[in-house]
Amino acid sequence: MRKIIALLLLLFLSISSRVAQSDVTASVTASRRTAIVNAVERASPAVVNISAIRVVEQQTSLNEWFFWEEMMRYPRQRTLREVGSGVVIDERTILTNHHVIEDADSIRVAVSDGREFEASVLGYDYLSDLALLEINAEPIGKSARSTPLQPIEWGDSANLLIGEWAVAIGNPFRLARGDAQPTVTIGIISATQRTLTIDERFHENLIQTDASINPGNSGGALVNMHGQLIGINTAIRSTSGGSQGIGFAIPANKAKKVIQQIIDYGTVIPPHVGVEVQPVTEELAEKLLENAAVSGAVGVLVSVVEKRSPAARAGIRRGDVLLTISGHRIRDEASFQAIARLLPLNHDIPCELIRKGKTRQTTLRLKNRQFHWKPSGWGFTLEQPDLALARQYRQPGIIITNVDRNSGLADALQRGDFLYQIGDTKIHSLEMFKRLDAQIRSQRRIRLYFERDGEPQTLVVAFNRNYRRR
C-alpha cells in the first residue's frame, strides 16, 4: 500500500512539474511575442529587395589602347548594380525611391520567400523621389511558384505621435543578396514636418526617426505597431555615411497622392493655381506685415495673379502674403511649390493670407491640371503627354505642339518633336521644364535633346540677357 501511495505521489509531482514548466514556457513565449514582433510579421513579406542594373562604358588604360587595337573598336562595358528596397502595394506593383532605379537598364525584385521577378518602371516623380515598378506575372525560374505578392497595409501618417514606436524594414548594405529576408530596426518617431533638400530635391513634411536607416534601406517601409505603412525610408543625415540616429521617410499619405498621379498620368501633373510667388524679405515684411501679431509670420509674397484663374476667383491679390494652404505652413517658395503640386482638384482648399497687416481666410478650388504651356522667349508651345501617348516613346519627356513662324527655332524644331533633356537635366515632365526655364536668366548657350520619328536629335540654343532667344 505504501509503495502504491509513493508511486502516486511521484506521478503527481512529475505531472505538476511538467505543467509548471509548460506554464513557464507559455509565459516566456507570450512575453517574446510583443507588438513589435507582430508588426514585423505583418509587414515584412511586403518589403522586397531591388537590384537596379546599369551598363556603362569603361575607360581603358594607355597600355591597353596601345597593345590592343580592338579595344578602340569595341570599348569595354561595366555593369553597375544599385541595391535598394521596395514595398508591395498590390499583387504586381512595387513602390520605391526613384533614385534607387534611376537610369537602370534592367531591374530585378526579390521577395522574402526567395522568388525573383523582372520589373519595369510604370512611372515616377523625380521631385518627390518616388517610383512605381510593375513585376512580370511569372517569377524567374521554371520551378518557381507564381502565388501573388502580399501587399502592405496602409497607415495614416497624419496622426503620428512624437515618441511612438516605429519599425524600419529594408535591405541595408546589400545584406539581402542571396537572402531576400529584409532587415528590421526599431526606434521612435523623432519629429514630423521636417524639411530637407537631397540631390536638388526639396522634401517637405518628412518623418524623422531614430530607427537605423542605412544605405540600401532606401525605398523600404517605415511601419507602426500595427504593421501599417506610415512612410517610405528615403534618407539619412550622417557624417560617416552610416546611420547616426537621424533618418527620414516620405509620409505614406503623400506617397498615396503621388502613386495615384503616376497611375493616372505616368508622373505628377500639378494643378493650375494661377499665381507666381517670391520670398518675403525683411524689407517687404516691414511694409506688408504691419500688425505686430503677425510680424513673425513666414510665407510667400504673391507677385502675379492670372486673370480668371483659381487664385483670382478665390480673391487672392498681388501683394498678399500666403501663410498656409490646406493646413500646411508655407515657409518659402520651395515649400509653396511642394505643397501646391499635390493639391486635389474639385475640393475646397482653405488658405490663410495676410493683406495690409491683417490675417484673412479664403477658399481655393482647383479645376484643371497643367498639361499645356507656352514658355516666354522660346517661341513654341509644350504639352505633357498622357499615359498612353507617353508609352510610345523610349523615355519620359514632353511634346512640342506648335512652333511660332517668327521663332528663331522654326527652321530647327517642328510640331511633334519630343523633348527629353536640356543640358545635363532630364525633362521628364512639363513641370521640370518650367523649373529649369526659371533658372535661365543670363546669357548662355544650352543644348536641347529631342526625338523625331524615333531618331535622337540635338540642338544648341542661345539666350541673351534680355531673355530673348537669338
Side-chain angles (χ1 to χ4, degrees), residues 42-63:
R42 293 190 194 102
S44 286
V47 180
V48 301
N49 171 256
I50 295 175
S51 294
I53 300 168
R54 182 161 53 96
V55 179
V56 297
E57 290 189 359
Q58 183 179 18
Q59 297 294 331
T60 58
S61 68
L62 291 176
N63 289 336

Side-chain angles (χ1 to χ4, degrees), residues 7 17 20 29 44 61-62 117 136 139 209 271 372 378 405 450:
L7 289 173
S17 176
T29 301
S44 286
S61 68
L62 291 176
F117 297 84
N136 290 347
T209 178
H372 307 273
W378 287 85
R405 290 183 179 180
F450 60 98

Side-chain angles (χ1 to χ4, degrees), residues 329-401:
R329 175 67 62 181
I330 299 172
R331 299 177 178 86
D332 49 30
E333 289 179 278
S335 66
F336 170 79
Q337 293 171 347
I339 294 165
R341 69 191 300 265
L342 293 175
L343 291 175
L345 300 183
N346 302 313
H347 284 73
D348 290 334
I349 301 168
C351 301
E352 183 182 12
L353 56 88
I354 296 174
R355 180 181 300 160
K356 295 182 178 179
K358 295 182 180 179
T359 303
R360 297 172 180 262
Q361 311 291 332
T362 188
T363 300
L364 188 67
R365 194 171 182 88
L366 308 175
K367 296 184 177 181
N368 302 299
R369 299 196 180 277
Q370 299 176 23
F371 280 96
H372 307 273
W373 186 49
K374 186 173 183 177
S376 174
W378 287 85
F380 55 56
T381 305
L382 298 168
E383 177 182 308
Q384 177 73 45
D386 60 25
L387 191 57
L389 184 57
R391 287 177 174 173
Q392 298 178 17
Y393 297 92
R394 293 177 295 180
Q395 56 194 318
I398 52 180
I399 299 173
I400 297 175
T401 57

Side-chain angles (χ1 to χ4, degrees), residues 53-61 64-65 70-81 105:
I53 300 168
R54 182 161 53 96
V55 179
V56 297
E57 290 189 359
Q58 183 179 18
Q59 297 294 331
T60 58
S61 68
E64 289 175 322
W65 283 95
E70 64 270 17
M71 302 298 292
M72 300 178 66
R73 296 193 298 270
Y74 304 104
R76 290 181 178 179
Q77 290 185 329
R78 181 183 178 191
T79 299
L80 302 179
R81 183 187 298 268
D105 295 302

Side-chain angles (χ1 to χ4, degrees), residues 43-48 50 85-97 109 111 122-123 130-135 148-155 219-221 223 228-232 251-264:
S44 286
V47 180
V48 301
I50 295 175
S85 308
V87 180
V88 181
I89 60 172
D90 66 33
E91 293 181 354
R92 291 186 59 186
T93 309
I94 310 294
L95 175 64
T96 187
N97 284 137
V109 172
V111 298
L122 273 177
L130 292 173
L132 279 186
L133 308 180
E134 182 179 41
I135 64 167
L149 302 187
Q150 178 177 320
I152 197 84
E153 181 181 348
W154 288 88
V223 303
Q228 298 170 327
L229 182 69
I230 56 174
I232 299 297
N253 291 9
K254 176 181 178 179
K256 274 186 174 181
K257 296 177 183 178
V258 174
I259 288 170
Q260 190 57 56
Q261 291 213 41
I262 292 176
I263 291 172
D264 291 342

Side-chain angles (χ1 to χ4, degrees), residues 292-342:
V294 296
S295 61
V298 178
V300 290
L301 176 67
V302 177
S303 56
V304 176
V305 179
E306 296 177 14
K307 294 181 179 180
R308 295 182 293 277
S309 67
R313 288 193 294 269
I316 297 174
R317 301 177 186 174
R318 183 175 182 271
D320 289 345
V321 176
L322 289 175
L323 296 179
T324 66
I325 297 179
S326 191
H328 297 283
R329 175 67 62 181
I330 299 172
R331 299 177 178 86
D332 49 30
E333 289 179 278
S335 66
F336 170 79
Q337 293 171 347
I339 294 165
R341 69 191 300 265
L342 293 175

